[in-house]
Amino acid sequence: MLFRSEEDDALRGTLASYAAIYLTDHHVSQAASRVLADWVQKGGQLFATAGAGMLDEFNQPNATLRALFGVQPPALNISTNPMVLFEKTDLPFCAPLDEVALKTGGAVPVFAAQGKFTASGGEVLGTFKDGSPAVVARAHGTGRAIYCGFLPALSYFQPALPKRP
C-alpha cells in the first residue's frame, strides 16, 4: 500500500511529462486534485468540461479544483430532447440547449449538457446567451486552468454526424 506522500509523488511523476490535460470526469480524488493544482502552478494547462472535477471521491464538493478554476457550479442541465446516450445516433437529432459567444468571435452551440456557474477571478473567454460565463481561464504560477460549462467535443461533432433512422 502506498502512503499519501508516495501516492502523490507517483502522480506528480506521471504528470511531469504532460503539457496539457483534458479533464472530463465529475469525480477527482482529493490527492489527485492537490497534485493537479501543483502541476498547473508549475506550468501545466488544465482544461475541464461541464461538471468535471467538481466532486471528490466521497461525492462531496471538490474545494481544491473549484478554487483552481475559480468556479461554483450548480447542478448540470442535461438535455432530454433527446437524451444523448449514444453520440452517433442521438446527437444528430438534438436541439441546442444554448449558444456560447466566444471572446475571439463566433458562436458555439451547446448540446447534451450545460453547467452554468459563477466565476471569481480569471478571464471570461465565452458567455452563454444570458451573459453568464461559459468559459473562464485563470492563471496560476506559470500554468493555466480553463473551465468550460458545456461539452465542446459534442459541439464539434454534432454538425458532422448524419441523421439516419
Side-chain angles (χ1 to χ4, degrees):
M1 176 174 181
L2 292 175
F3 293 99
R4 186 170 306 269
S5 63
E6 291 173 346
E7 189 175 271
D8 290 356
D9 288 344
L11 287 169
R12 278 187 185 85
T14 301
L15 292 181
S17 62
Y18 291 94
I21 292 179
Y22 296 88
L23 184 62
T24 59
D25 198 339
H26 293 284
H27 296 84
V28 177
S29 73
Q30 293 173 9
S33 297
R34 286 189 303 273
V35 172
L36 280 170
D38 183 52
W39 173 79
V40 169
Q41 187 74 23
K42 293 177 181 172
Q45 305 287 314
L46 182 61
F47 183 93
T49 60
M54 296 296 106
L55 300 171
D56 66 13
E57 69 269 38
F58 304 110
N59 207 37
Q60 297 301 308
N62 188 328
T64 303
L65 289 182
R66 288 177 185 218
L68 184 70
F69 292 115
V71 300
Q72 287 300 323
L76 290 175
N77 174 20
I78 306 295
S79 172
T80 56
N81 183 24
M83 181 172 276
V84 178
L85 297 175
F86 302 101
E87 288 81 2
K88 286 176 70 175
T89 56
D90 300 334
L91 192 56
F93 299 96
C94 277
L97 294 171
D98 203 336
E99 188 173 84
V100 174
L102 298 173
K103 182 180 176 182
T104 57
V108 178
V110 174
F111 294 102
Q114 179 182 29
K116 292 195 176 183
F117 57 90
T118 57
S120 59
E123 178 186 8
V124 176
L125 303 176
T127 56
F128 292 114
K129 282 184 181 176
D130 67 2
S132 63
V135 184
V136 65
R138 291 185 79 202
H140 294 278
T142 56
R144 186 163 81 150
I146 300 170
Y147 185 80
C148 190
F150 63 106
L151 305 173
L154 296 185
S155 301
Y156 176 77
F157 287 131
Q158 198 274 347
L161 297 172
K163 288 185 177 180
R164 293 196 174 144

